[in-house]
Amino acid sequence: VDLLQRIRNGLDAVPPLVLPDFGRVSSSVLVAIIQREHGPVVVLTRRSTDLPDHAGEISFPGGRVEPGESTLDAALREAQEEIGLNPGGCQWLGQLDDSHTVTGYRITPHVVLSEHTSAWTLSHREVAEVLEIPVEPLLSRGRGYQVEVSLGRERNTFPLYPIPGGVIWGATARILGQLMDRLVPESSSVQKAIADRRAIAALLAMRSAFITTHVNPDGDAIGSCVAMEELFKTLGIPVTILLDAPPPPDLDFLLTGSNWLAGDAIRMELAADAERMVVVDTGDRKRIGKVAEVLDHMELPPVVLDHHLSGDIEGDVLRDPSCSSTAELVYRLFRTMGFPFRQRTVDALYTGILSDTNGFRYIENRSSPFKAASHLVDLGADATAIQEALYSQISPRHVALSGVVASRILYECDGRLAWSWLTLEDLSARGATADDAGEMAPMLLAIRGVQVAAFFREVEPGRFKLSMRSLKAVPIVGICNELGGGGHAHAAGATVDGPVEKLVEFIAGRCR
Ligand SMILES: [Mn+2]
């Protein structure tokens, strides 16, 4: 198939990302393709060195969209003004992705096939020269060199394409990269981008929303809820967070200013009050507790944003286990959307990443959680306050219960498996709740020589919540799956019937 046909096919196969302007100036550019003897070329301009902005840089013809004008009309008009390209000789091929610049513009690129053959008529005030860049050699560079640029607190990453006599960078390079992506629509990165934009389109099209997350919510669950709430508020979409039970006190600071309902307020009659539900940090119906009843009675299926390996809720599912946390997934989504990060959003997302990586311990050697966190701190996340809020809040009852758990630890498999337990009586004798017990498995896993930790907490007589943690060499999610539970490779759980000794025998058998 010839290159021009591949461009057409790619534009048809990959839908454009269409974004709100989030208060930025609306602008558009024209990606004009001309079929020359040696193959298709794309028309770029070198901007005049006298211009106040982007002087001497290489860019597509384009500019600000005037009131009442479509983005396509604006792009064609600007191209005519700048280089004398005749709009009548253009055939529209399609639209590339909206993007936001660090300088405050939303750019919509339109791709046209132009029949231009005569000499270019330059507006010398704006344009120094027209560059006809062959598409073929660009393609061999793929996505080019990835360059990150900071301007104030903003950051942006885009490819950089060297061409004879200069480089293409910035928003122009990103748009060119989008065109290159359309030439390989089957590649996994493009397929991932298509999944992203399906979720983004679903979120932007909502008229009212509920947001929910899993029972016993952690910093990632609540942080992701709050970040999504901020998105809907900014878009003017009515939104309420629904929680199975009131949030744990140490996460209260995140929910200040949020609109949320929990516990007895969760009734299935709520289903009529919002158009769709967004489920974050889980994709399992049984993990959202009471809220499942509301979900079941809603007309439209939910949007799921999750970083766990699997889930049974159907709808628009954006699942990415390569993310350390749902907060990291939401951070990436907001970057793609060009959503302007504000204080509440960056605090919520930083909390999610810090919490789910347990203070950057569970990162599986990925750099992405650090990059996201570093950007969020640059954007103003109060890392110190969040650290104190999450990690200086252990209740005296938890410390007392830890003592009980520590005094009972038993070892199997030559000390590689450590396990302990708490009964309902242990809790009631100390006036403690399940929240006071919290996570005990990490304490067991920190013991020298221990590779697998199993902690059992009685939830009703004879029935236990098993929580497991393991070191890298020993994945334990399979064991929890066999027991009817699930989770991550090295942090998983299940609800199981005793006696505990029998269960430990089973686990030890799997660890030998
Ligand atoms: Mn999570």
Side-chain angles (χ1 to χ4, degrees):
V1 187
D2 82 331
L3 202 47
L4 188 59
Q5 191 56 43
R6 276 178 70 190
I7 294 172
R8 286 178 192 274
N9 294 348
L11 285 164
D12 289 342
V14 184
L17 176 65
V18 179
L19 297 173
D21 59 31
F22 291 118
R24 294 179 176 90
V25 178
S26 177
S27 68
S28 61
V29 297
L30 195 72
V31 181
I33 291 167
I34 302 178
Q35 185 72 287
R36 297 292 189 208
E37 239 168 72
H38 51 275
V41 298
V42 58
V43 178
L44 288 153
T45 66
R46 188 187 304 280
R47 290 165 60 85
S48 159
T49 45
D50 304 332
L51 288 170
D53 301 316
H54 304 288
E57 290 176 19
I58 294 163
S59 68
F60 292 106
R64 203 182 268 253
V65 179
E66 300 296 341
E69 197 179 35
S70 75
T71 53
L72 175 59
D73 287 345
L76 289 168
R77 174 182 52 72
E78 290 280 348
Q80 188 170 30
E81 289 169 8
E82 291 178 21
I83 59 173
L85 189 123
N86 172 21
C90 288
Q91 184 196 348
W92 186 76
L93 297 182
Q95 200 175 317
L96 294 170
D97 303 330
D98 283 348
S99 59
H100 292 98
T101 69
V102 292
T103 48
Y105 288 88
R106 181 195 59 187
I107 308 177
T108 303
H110 286 280
V111 186
V112 298
L113 182 64
S114 162
E115 286 168 358
H116 193 98
T117 48
S118 52
W120 299 105
T121 318
L122 306 191
S123 153
H124 290 289
R125 194 185 59 81
E126 284 188 80
V127 178
E129 65 172 316
V130 172
L131 305 167
E132 295 190 10
I133 305 294
V135 175
E136 182 89 57
L138 286 179
L139 184 57
S140 67
R141 295 199 180 271
R143 290 190 143 186
Y145 304 102
Q146 293 298 311
V147 183
E148 189 178 276
V149 164
S150 308
L151 188 70
R153 290 178 152 190
E154 300 282 347
R155 281 190 201 175
N156 245 322
T157 303
F158 40 73
L160 185 143
Y161 297 98
I163 55 165
V167 289
I168 305 172
W169 71 292
T172 304
R174 189 166 51 215
I175 292 164
L176 211 47
Q178 292 171 11
L179 185 65
M180 296 305 111
D181 278 353
R182 260 64 175 189
L183 292 165
V184 284
E186 65 290 339
S187 81
S188 59
S189 59
V190 176
Q191 288 302 311
K192 163 85 174 63
I194 293 175
D196 279 4
R197 67 196 54 194
R198 213 175 287 130
I200 289 171
L203 294 169
L204 294 174
M206 282 191 200
R207 281 174 300 183
S208 52
F210 284 141
I211 304 170
T212 196
T213 188
H214 55 78
V215 296
N216 305 317
D218 49 27
D220 190 31
I222 300 291
S224 300
C225 282
V226 168
M228 290 306 297
E229 183 194 25
E230 286 296 296
L231 171 71
F232 288 124
K233 279 185 179 169
T234 303
L235 291 167
I237 297 169
V239 55
T240 307
I241 297 172
L242 304 185
L243 299 171
D244 175 71
D250 59 337
L251 295 173
D252 265 354
F253 74 100
L254 283 178
L255 284 163
T256 309
S258 281
N259 183 22
W260 59 272
L261 295 172
D264 292 340
I266 306 297
R267 292 166 292 104
M268 74 175 198
E269 290 77 29
L270 285 174
D273 294 353
E275 191 187 40
R276 292 185 83 174
M277 191 177 286
V278 179
V279 183
V280 300
D281 202 32
T282 181
D284 272 325
R285 190 184 169 282
K286 65 175 191 301
R287 290 272 292 145
I288 62 173
K290 272 187 209 171
V291 180
E293 270 190 47
V294 183
L295 177 63
D296 291 346
H297 288 86
M298 292 184 74
E299 246 179 71
L300 293 175
V303 177
V304 176
L305 305 175
D306 188 24
H307 71 122
H308 297 87
L309 292 170
S310 62
D312 59 11
I313 298 176
E314 287 176 17
D316 284 304
V317 180
L318 189 54
R319 175 176 306 291
D320 190 348
S322 82
C323 291
S324 66
S325 50
T326 301
E328 186 186 331
L329 183 148
V330 171
Y331 163 81
R332 292 191 201 174
L333 200 63
F334 284 2
R335 293 289 311 269
T336 307
M337 295 174 87
F339 180 55
F341 290 94
R342 282 189 290 264
Q343 190 65 50
R344 204 151 179 263
T345 318
V346 296
D347 283 341
L349 292 176
Y350 184 87
T351 304
I353 295 171
L354 186 72
S355 161
D356 249 30
T357 59
N358 191 19
F360 300 104
R361 289 174 185 83
Y362 309 148
I363 56 153
E364 297 175 23
N365 290 350
R366 294 178 285 220
S367 64
S368 61
F370 293 109
K371 283 184 182 157
S374 125
H375 188 203
L376 291 166
V377 172
D378 275 351
L379 289 164
D382 195 341
T384 305
I386 293 167
Q387 155 76 24
E388 288 177 4
L390 289 192
Y391 297 115
S392 298
Q393 302 290 337
I394 299 175
S395 74
R397 287 198 191 97
H398 177 78
V399 178
L401 291 172
S402 302
V404 176
V405 171
S407 71
R408 285 179 181 159
I409 298 173
L410 292 171
Y411 298 90
E412 309 287 335
C413 305
D414 303 321
R416 282 180 289 117
L417 168 62
W419 66 283
S420 188
W421 70 97
L422 282 174
T423 63
L424 286 169
E425 207 198 310
D426 293 326
L427 265 61
S428 63
R430 289 163 186 82
T433 64
D435 281 343
D436 291 321
E439 293 289 359
M440 293 288 183
M443 175 174 82
L444 307 185
L445 189 63
I447 301 166
R448 185 186 301 137
V450 172
Q451 298 184 339
V452 178
F455 172 69
F456 298 87
R457 180 171 58 77
E458 199 175 19
V459 287
E460 48 189 89
R463 202 164 161 74
F464 295 83
K465 188 174 176 287
L466 163 65
S467 170
M468 291 189 70
R469 294 288 188 278
S470 67
L471 298 187
K472 188 163 182 277
V474 199
I476 38 80
V477 67
I479 299 172
C480 292
N481 285 338
E482 283 187 74
L483 293 169
H488 301 275
H490 303 283
T495 304
V496 289
D497 289 313
V500 169
E501 289 74 11
K502 274 256 177 291
L503 293 159
V504 171
E505 222 170 88
F506 170 79
I507 294 169
R510 290 288 183 278
C511 293
R512 265 183 201 112

